Amino acid sequence: MKLQPVGHVESPLTDRSSAPKQGDEGAPDAWIVFAPEYARAMAELAPGQDVLVLTWLDRADRSVLAVHPRSDAERPETGVFSTRSPDRPNPIGLHRVRIVEVDGARVRVADLEAIDGTPVVDVKPVLGAER
């Protein structure tokens, strides 16, 4: 299996400790910068659209199988497949964001809690549901 990044995140968030747990918990606007060869793939993306961004959480600990949700030691340890922990065997991030601006091969989005330099694996439209 081979995963090919299509771009990366440019964000003022530079480390996990400063990033919110979820995008709607105060994440600053960030840019998704697509590699030039994927320009056609992002051609119909437009401001106001909600999309799902899949990232590869490259700084995650892939050996973690259970966590205390939201890093709260008072909560019982829970298997990572029942949490949104970035630490997991295959650290794929899933982020619902709103497109704010499109500038060439760059897309500015709201509510993306990924840290600067995070590889972007894919972008998919949100279907059917209103935010």
Side-chain angles (χ1 to χ4, degrees):
M1 183 166 73
K2 182 179 176 188
L3 216 53
Q4 180 66 42
V6 297
H8 67 277
V9 173
E10 286 185 356
S11 171
L13 299 172
T14 57
D15 61 72
R16 286 177 56 171
S17 64
S18 66
K21 301 279 186 202
Q22 296 296 317
D24 62 357
E25 296 177 351
D29 282 4
W31 289 92
I32 298 171
V33 181
F34 289 91
E37 61 266 31
Y38 298 108
R40 177 61 189 112
M42 47 93 48
E44 283 73 32
L45 297 178
Q49 244 182 331
D50 281 1
V51 294
L52 298 172
V53 177
L54 286 86
T55 57
W56 186 260
L57 304 173
D58 58 324
R59 285 154 266 198
D61 182 344
R62 296 183 74 174
S63 68
V64 173
L65 300 179
V67 297
H68 293 279
R70 300 187 70 80
S71 303
D72 180 353
E74 298 292 317
R75 297 175 80 172
E77 193 171 70
T78 305
V80 295
F81 296 155
S82 295
T83 76
R84 295 292 303 261
S85 172
D87 296 318
R88 54 198 320 113
N90 287 309
I92 297 169
L94 177 65
H95 318 267
R96 183 175 179 159
V97 301
R98 166 100 12 133
I99 296 175
V100 176
E101 176 183 356
V102 177
D103 181 19
R106 297 166 41 94
V107 176
R108 186 165 57 104
V109 297
D111 298 334
L112 180 59
E113 77 280 13
I115 58 179
D116 191 57
T118 299
V120 174
V121 176
D122 205 351
V123 175
K124 296 180 179 283
V126 172
L127 302 176
E130 290 296 317
R131 193 172 218 197

